[in-house]
């Protein structure tokens, strides 16, 4: 097995048990691609026809609000999936950008191959059900924190949930993700030191 196959199989085994034959069949459905830092994976009006598994690197999903401010929706790193689920599901144009914040190595799973794999490998139904449930719960928790918490508590929640991102992500991205200005985030950080 290649290092990529080992990484992907290890990730999958956290959720489901696949036979070697099932894993090989699923792995044959994905395509390896690279993105350079700053390169766009998705931009508005495109249709998200694939889901992307991050082997290495970081992708940031964002939109612009009606005042022209960038609003970060998701920060995705190694061993996670990203894409625009609504666009992928309904084949409608996306309103978001997905940009590489670092050089990235990805496995790309097209919708056609995803549907075929779900049909042929029953364990994948369980995998994606679990992943979608987790994504829904994480999003619900994030919305709840955003609605109920002040800027300081939002930052503390972020630090607790994503300590591995603090030295990796640009603070401007974190500020946008937490719906605050970079200046507010800077004041909060300075109060903590």
């Amino acid at each position: 097995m290649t290092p990529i196959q080992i990484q992907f199989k290890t990730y999958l085994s956290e959720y489901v048990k696949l036979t070697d034959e099932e894993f090989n069949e699923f792995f044959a459905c994905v395509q390896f691609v690279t993105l350079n830092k700053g390169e766009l994976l998705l931009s508005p009006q495109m249709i998200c026809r694939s889901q992307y598994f991050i082997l290495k690197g970081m992708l940031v999903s964002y939109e612009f609000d009606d005042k022209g401010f960038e609003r970060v929706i998701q920060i995705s790193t190694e061993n996670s999936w990203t894409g625009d689920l609504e666009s992928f599901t309904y084949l409608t144009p996306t309103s978001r950008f997905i940009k590489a914040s670092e050089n990235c190595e990805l496995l790309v799973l097209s919708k056609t191959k995803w549907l075929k794999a779900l049909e042929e490998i029953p364990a994948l139904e369980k995998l994606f059900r679990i992943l979608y449930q987790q994504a829904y719960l994480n999003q619900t928790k994030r919305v709840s924190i955003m609605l109920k918490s002040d800027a300081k508590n939002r930052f503390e929640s972020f630090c607790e949930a994503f300590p591995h991102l603090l030295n990796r992500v640009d603070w401007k991205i974190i500020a946008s993700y937490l719906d605050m200005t970079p200046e507010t985030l800077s004041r909060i950080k300075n109060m903590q030191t």
Side-chain angles (χ1 to χ4, degrees):
M1 286 182 95
T2 67
I4 290 171
Q5 289 171 313
I6 292 168
Q7 180 181 347
F8 194 48
K9 189 170 188 177
T10 301
Y11 165 81
L12 294 172
S13 69
E14 293 176 19
Y15 298 97
V16 293
K17 176 130 179 73
L18 297 176
T19 66
D20 288 343
E21 184 180 317
E22 288 171 330
F23 172 76
N24 290 334
E25 187 177 341
F26 186 42
F27 192 77
C29 292
V30 298
Q31 177 184 1
F32 177 82
V33 299
T34 60
L35 283 179
N36 293 320
K37 181 178 178 175
E39 199 172 343
L40 286 173
L41 179 67
L42 196 65
S43 59
Q45 300 309 312
M46 290 176 64
I47 294 175
C48 184
R49 298 183 188 278
S50 299
Q51 290 295 301
Y52 306 90
F53 180 78
I54 304 169
L55 295 163
K56 181 180 174 188
M58 180 172 37
L59 292 165
V60 175
S61 302
Y62 61 94
E63 295 180 359
F64 285 94
D65 66 17
D66 56 358
K67 295 178 183 170
F69 292 107
E70 183 180 303
R71 302 296 184 185
V72 173
I73 299 163
Q74 184 177 18
I75 303 167
S76 306
T77 59
E78 291 84 6
N79 294 325
S80 67
W81 294 87
T82 195
D84 181 338
L85 191 56
E86 182 179 357
S87 177
F88 179 76
T89 301
Y90 300 114
L91 297 177
T92 55
T94 185
S95 59
R96 74 176 56 170
F97 293 87
I98 300 179
K99 184 177 184 179
S101 286
E102 299 173 350
N103 291 336
C104 294
E105 295 177 358
L106 310 171
L107 294 179
V108 180
L109 179 61
S110 72
K111 183 164 186 170
T112 305
K113 290 186 178 182
W114 175 71
L115 290 170
K116 183 177 185 279
L118 289 178
E119 194 175 291
E120 295 176 1
I121 307 168
L124 294 179
E125 285 278 357
K126 179 182 178 185
L127 168 71
F128 286 102
R129 178 180 46 79
I130 292 168
L131 294 175
Y132 290 165
Q133 285 173 339
Q134 286 179 346
Y136 175 77
L137 293 172
N138 290 340
Q139 187 65 19
T140 301
K141 183 178 179 181
R142 179 177 177 216
V143 168
S144 180
I145 288 169
M146 297 297 277
L147 293 174
K148 294 180 185 177
S149 299
D150 64 13
K152 181 178 180 282
N153 287 329
R154 290 196 308 268
F155 178 65
E156 288 171 355
S157 293
F158 181 88
C159 292
E160 206 173 284
F162 308 108
H164 62 286
L165 294 180
L166 295 174
N167 293 321
R168 189 171 174 188
V169 180
D170 184 280
W171 287 98
K172 181 181 172 189
I173 292 171
I174 294 173
S176 175
Y177 182 81
L178 296 173
D179 193 29
M180 64 181 78
T181 65
E183 295 78 18
T184 298
L185 180 57
S186 182
R187 279 194 301 276
I188 292 168
K189 280 175 35 192
N190 290 336
M191 290 179 354
Q192 292 184 335
T193 55

